[in-house]
Amino acid sequence: MYELDCSAVFSGSRRVIRSDSQAGVIRKAIAQANALGIERVSPSMMDSFREKMVERPEAATEHAA
């Protein structure tokens, strides 16, 4: 399970994105950026998504939900 705390990328955001794949997190992060009014995701923002994304053990995320 991969996770991205959006507050690490988007100032003021409290969303935490989770997905089974890194690509899934990236897709959701782009959608979140668009929802926040960011029309173009820059290469540096994509780098931030990748840098701030963490891998969480499956068992830990099941209990957190």
Side-chain angles (χ1 to χ4, degrees), residues 26-45:
I26 297 292
R27 278 192 298 275
K28 291 177 182 181
I30 292 169
Q32 179 67 19
N34 294 153
L36 292 171
I38 300 168
E39 295 180 17
R40 182 182 173 276
V41 176
S42 68
S44 64
M45 187 176 290

Side-chain angles (χ1 to χ4, degrees), residues 36-65:
L36 292 171
I38 300 168
E39 295 180 17
R40 182 182 173 276
V41 176
S42 68
S44 64
M45 187 176 290
M46 288 294 290
D47 289 342
S48 291
F49 294 159
R50 291 184 192 100
E51 290 168 8
K52 307 293 185 188
M53 188 184 324
V54 295
E55 186 172 7
R56 301 277 186 214
E58 290 286 335
T61 56
E62 290 174 11
H63 290 91

Side-chain angles (χ1 to χ4, degrees), residues 14-36:
R14 296 173 51 174
R15 183 168 183 207
V16 176
I17 296 172
R18 294 181 182 92
S19 182
D20 291 333
S21 69
Q22 291 178 334
V25 170
I26 297 292
R27 278 192 298 275
K28 291 177 182 181
I30 292 169
Q32 179 67 19
N34 294 153
L36 292 171

